[in-house]
Amino acid sequence: MERSQERNGGEGVAGREPGGEGLRLRREIGLWSAVSLMAGCMIGSGVFMSPQGVLVYMGSPGASLVVWAGCGLLAMMGALCYAELSALVPKSGGEYAYILQIFGSLPAFLVIYTFVLLVRPAAIAAVSLSFAEYAVTPFYPGCSSMPQAVLKGVAASCILLLTLVNCWSSRLATVLVNVCAVAKVFSLLVIVVGGAVVLGQGRGHTETFLLAFHNTTQQAGRIGMAFYQGMWSFDGWNNVNYVVEELKNPKEPLIFRG
């Protein structure tokens, strides 16, 4: 019965696998929810904060665009590799599941240990502090620096709220991710279309195109930091691999009908 529910794209229930080896997760994440999860994780605070860092480290707009293109290419190649891995090892956990399958339990334990205690908390803290800074700034007009206690309080509240939502219901978390993804894409469209309109009206600084690569840095360290800033913005392309077992019909091919 579990197999029939899973095949029909139903929600499924948390029960034992047919082989009786363990529990399986509820499949409540559909195709567009998975796309929204990836888009929502990639489009975050880094999109609005990293461009300044890339430009500062590279020194010129043209070189900055080259860095962004390179970061996008690296992210796309990584996403394609992870898509292949998720098809070969259809288990939740991302890197942990793949390393466990290939290299064994000890390397997998070391990876997940480092990820859970260091990598993921640091990333969540950075994103939450960025969100808190954007949320608090309108309440402190004219201030060059926000009160740290307020920023940390808002960031901690955001983390706690999202934790409660994910613990309460995966469906509610999916709805929240979808709404946030739509809002983020809409905000980016407003920025891109608004910039194109201003440029088309001749009110933009078009003289920058004449000296697009002027003052470009040649220091390897600064170029590396620019790539680091860009890759931070593209981070999130592998998040779907952590919830593969919660996807509805993950092995069903995509067929687009006219």
Side-chain angles (χ1 to χ4, degrees):
M1 181 171 179
E2 289 180 350
R3 289 184 176 178
S4 62
Q5 288 178 344
E6 184 177 320
R7 189 182 303 113
N8 294 332
E11 295 180 10
V13 293
R16 292 194 174 277
E17 294 181 349
E21 298 179 355
L23 298 175
R24 68 180 181 87
L25 301 173
R26 296 192 180 195
R27 298 189 179 274
E28 296 184 345
I29 301 179
L31 172 62
W32 296 112
S33 297
V35 173
S36 297
L37 174 63
M38 185 180 298
C41 291
M42 292 184 65
I43 306 174
S45 58
V47 175
F48 303 100
M49 300 183 66
S50 296
Q52 178 181 0
V54 174
L55 182 59
V56 168
Y57 283 112
M58 292 305 300
S60 66
S64 299
L65 293 177
V66 173
V67 169
W68 282 111
C71 292
L73 179 62
L74 290 174
M76 183 184 67
M77 294 174 63
L80 292 176
C81 292
Y82 266 56
E84 183 71 17
L85 286 172
S86 64
L88 295 175
V89 185
K91 297 181 180 180
S92 295
E95 297 89 351
Y96 169 77
Y98 309 143
I99 295 176
L100 178 64
Q101 185 80 14
I102 299 171
F103 298 106
S105 58
L106 180 59
F109 170 76
L110 294 177
V111 167
I112 198 63
Y113 182 85
T114 305
F115 184 83
V116 171
L117 293 184
L118 295 176
V119 178
R120 197 60 178 176
I124 293 175
V127 173
S128 300
L129 287 173
S130 301
F131 165 78
E133 184 174 356
Y134 281 112
V136 171
T137 297
F139 299 97
Y140 292 90
C143 295
S144 57
S145 61
M146 302 295 107
Q148 292 299 313
V150 177
L151 289 178
K152 293 179 180 179
V154 174
S157 301
C158 176
I159 295 175
L160 179 60
L161 177 61
L162 294 178
T163 302
L164 293 176
V165 169
N166 282 274
C167 291
W168 182 263
S169 171
S170 59
R171 177 175 296 180
L172 179 59
T174 301
V175 172
L176 180 61
V177 168
N178 293 341
V179 173
C180 292
V182 171
K184 292 175 182 179
V185 173
F186 178 75
S187 63
L188 287 180
L189 289 177
V190 170
I191 295 174
V192 172
V193 174
V197 170
V198 172
L199 188 64
Q201 294 176 347
R203 292 185 293 168
H205 298 282
T206 55
E207 64 275 6
T208 306
F209 294 102
L210 301 176
L211 302 172
F213 291 91
H214 179 68
N215 200 31
T216 300
T217 184
Q218 297 181 358
Q219 300 180 12
R222 296 182 66 87
I223 296 175
M225 289 300 299
F227 269 94
Y228 175 80
Q229 296 282 337
M231 292 305 297
W232 168 257
S233 293
F234 282 100
D235 185 35
W237 45 264
N238 59 337
N239 277 274
V240 176
N241 294 69
Y242 296 110
V243 293
V244 171
E245 294 183 43
E246 299 181 57
L247 299 178
K248 298 178 181 178
N249 302 325
K251 295 184 179 180
E252 183 179 355
L254 300 181
I255 302 177
F256 297 94
R257 297 180 175 88

